[in-house]
Amino acid sequence: DEAMVNRLDSGLYHAAEIIKRDLGTEVSQIAGAGAAGGMGAGAVAFLGAKLQSGAELVLDLISFDNIIKDADLVITGEGRIDLQTLMGKAPAVIASRAAVQGIPVVAIGGIVSSEISSSNVSTFSTFSCVGITTINEVILLNSLLFCHI
């Protein structure tokens, strides 16, 4: 509910003010510091941590850029594709890395939010909403995908 979100945001902002005042560390402007209830901000302030994108880290560890270098298409996705997807979640990072190599990306989601469309987001080449609800639909989709690849 919106009131609870506002209350939690207010609490995080207050905590950031105290951290700045008492420790001299500005955490309110660090990207990702407010995620997971401010866990990143706490790690930076109290443990001296440096935050980095989990998606970037994993893609680097698996040499993703090298893996896709000869690809004609990259397919990625998640359960719900929305504006948060574009804020550093794995599908957006994958799309960004593929774009550097000129490889189109298709994003597949169980739900594609109405706030996302090909006309207002250039991160992905296209979107597809799967909306699968039964195991028979999964089996059917799987057979269709492998027949058309």
Side-chain angles (χ1 to χ4, degrees):
D1 99 28
E2 187 175 339
M4 180 58 77
V5 169
N6 291 336
R7 186 172 176 200
L8 291 170
D9 279 346
S10 177
L12 285 173
Y13 181 74
H14 181 68
E17 287 179 331
I18 292 170
I19 289 169
K20 182 178 180 181
R21 181 193 71 206
D22 294 354
L23 301 176
T25 303
E26 175 65 67
V27 295
S28 66
Q29 301 303 312
I30 300 172
M39 187 68 99
V44 169
F46 302 115
L47 303 173
K50 295 189 185 317
L51 301 184
Q52 71 179 92
S53 162
E56 295 280 1
L57 175 65
V58 170
L59 293 179
D60 287 344
L61 286 172
I62 66 168
S63 300
F64 179 77
D65 298 333
N66 188 52
I67 290 171
I68 66 166
K69 71 180 188 314
D70 296 320
D72 295 320
L73 175 70
V74 171
I75 301 172
T76 186
E78 63 180 340
R80 178 182 172 87
I81 298 173
D82 55 25
L83 289 179
Q84 287 211 350
T85 303
L86 306 178
M87 298 174 72
K89 292 177 88 177
V93 175
I94 288 168
S96 174
R97 296 256 188 126
V100 168
Q101 297 187 44
I103 304 168
V105 177
V106 174
I108 299 174
I111 298 170
V112 176
S113 172
S114 61
E115 61 196 13
I116 298 286
S117 73
S118 296
S119 63
N120 69 359
V121 177
S122 61
T123 304
F124 304 103
S125 302
T126 190
F127 303 94
S128 179
C129 181
V130 178
I132 295 173
T133 57
T134 69
I135 189 64
N136 288 334
E137 290 175 340
V138 172
I139 293 168
L140 175 62
L141 177 64
N142 188 42
S143 66
L144 291 173
L145 286 174
F146 284 104
C147 288
H148 289 86
I149 290 181

